[in-house]
Amino acid sequence: MNADTDYKNNDPANLPGDFTERMKLQLGNDYGSFISSYTLPYTKALRINTQKVLPVDITRMSRIFTGSENPETVDWCTSGYYYGNHEPGKSVLHDLGAYYIQEASAMLPVTLLDINDSGQKVLDLCAAPGGKTTQIADLMNGRGLLVANEVIPSRAAILSENIERMGVTNALVINEEPAALSARFGGYFDRILVDAPCSGEGMFRKHPEASQQWSLDNVKMCANRQDMILDRAADMLNDGGRIVYSTCTFSPEEDEGSIERFLLHHPDFAVEKMHRIYPHTHRGEGHFAAVLTKIMGSESLNNSSDSSAKTKSKDSSRLPKIPRERLTLLNDFLESTLSSGCKYRQQVTDDPGLLLAFGESIYLAPEIMPDISGLKVLRAGLKLGSFKKMRFEPDHALSHALLFEDALCAVDLDADSEEAKKYITGLTLSCDASVKGWCLVCVEHLGLGWGKASSGVIKNHYPRGLRR
Ligand code: SAM
């Protein structure tokens, strides 16, 4: 889409009259600047994955991500960068999860959630497609437990793919209603993000067609639904914990209204801060975020000790046990394929109790592992691979968690090389005739996928569904 098309589609005259009238009342003298912003192209941004891209590499790699060696940074997110007429989604660095294309104002809520790598228990309750989940994961640095939940099955599958692409290793991806989760996780989490389904008024510049779906009835329906979701989030927060509620809309029935109604019913919570990004005040499309903290020592009306007791200790959830012969196959694979310094190889060697079996598949569980029995779980930590008869085959997810130095046999390709393009279309690569067995295919030293080397050829194991 070029700037001319953006301008035509974003003619403010096409916005619903009820919406513009409400914004006039809400913004007063600022309305003129607000509505003029609709004649400008929407802002484009991406967030780099600091687990993969080190500060020292940013200048070199940002030319590939953004088309500029000195891209402008997003004020409120240190890993966020703006880009212009560039298509970062086309680079193989996108396929391997070096960055996530994310609207700049959508980077705000996670920065308010107070995430660190001390081993927190974090829930992202409305998580698909995963922009904010992967932002949280970046700050958790593989520690603790990140539960990413999405209620719509097809969206949960996309969430799971994005978590795999970004190389996240400590996430449980779950597909449940908030009520089903709160029945299991009463008073469990330290941090909860409620990036609520909303009327989406902040998306009208990027997706002008979305404005045609807008109605006052829908605003009210979204506000009611947010009340329900926030109540369930409150059930799941522990004492002293923090909820960040966010939307990409401007409507006061949602946003401030949802917070006001929540505080009426939850006297054990306090609102710490509220932020709003408008397209005329900041370089972003629009977001609202509020920080809710649970007062220490408060007795939550909704936290029944019964429900939290259902969260079992980690060992009881790691059933069924891996049969000895399968453990041997896995260890043989790890020793012949991964270097002794690779942390995943070390973790399996040091504590086989971290392994989880689902049918033929085997996962390395997050370091904190709750009871997930009976829940619809799409992913439980890092999928190491699957057993096929008497063989172990590594999973694509494992390749995205690895770096060049983690593998005993690895090839490294340049991001804009013909070889890298060949690999993601599914073609074979050539190698030294002496190389044999599983080989990690990397770009810029970051794992992109697997190949199997034999007689001078690396057979392509890049998943068919991801080839292009
Ligand atoms: N946090 C996501 C991100 O950054 O990529 C975006 C989330 S989007 C704003 C809201 C999500 O809430 C949608 O994926 C939607 O399917 C989900 N949702 C819809 N109804 C829901 C409900 N009743 N309870 C929980 N989530 C719901």
Side-chain angles (χ1 to χ4, degrees), residues 100 102 106 124-133 149-152 155 159 176-178 193 195-198 225 228-229 246-248:
Y100 191 103
Q102 188 176 25
D124 187 355
L125 187 50
C126 314
K132 297 181 185 75
T133 304
N149 182 65
E150 167 58 43
V151 71
I152 299 177
R155 290 178 63 82
L159 168 68
E176 291 289 352
E177 291 282 347
L193 178 66
D195 188 38
C198 69
R225 186 166 55 185
M228 176 280 288
I229 298 174
S246 58
T247 71
C248 60

Side-chain angles (χ1 to χ4, degrees), residues 267-323:
D268 49 339
F269 277 81
V271 63
E272 215 173 80
K273 44 186 141 176
M274 294 203 257
H275 285 285
R276 190 190 284 293
I277 290 177
Y278 282 116
H280 66 289
T281 58
H282 294 80
R283 200 163 160 208
E285 297 307 293
H287 239 74
F288 175 87
V291 178
L292 294 161
T293 47
K294 191 162 172 187
I295 299 155
M296 284 289 265
S298 59
E299 190 75 25
S300 169
L301 300 173
N302 300 317
N303 265 353
S304 88
S305 52
D306 274 346
S307 60
S308 48
K310 286 181 195 152
T311 302
K312 294 181 186 168
S313 74
K314 63 184 189 182
D315 288 337
S316 61
S317 62
R318 292 193 179 125
L319 296 172
K321 284 210 162 32
I322 319 289

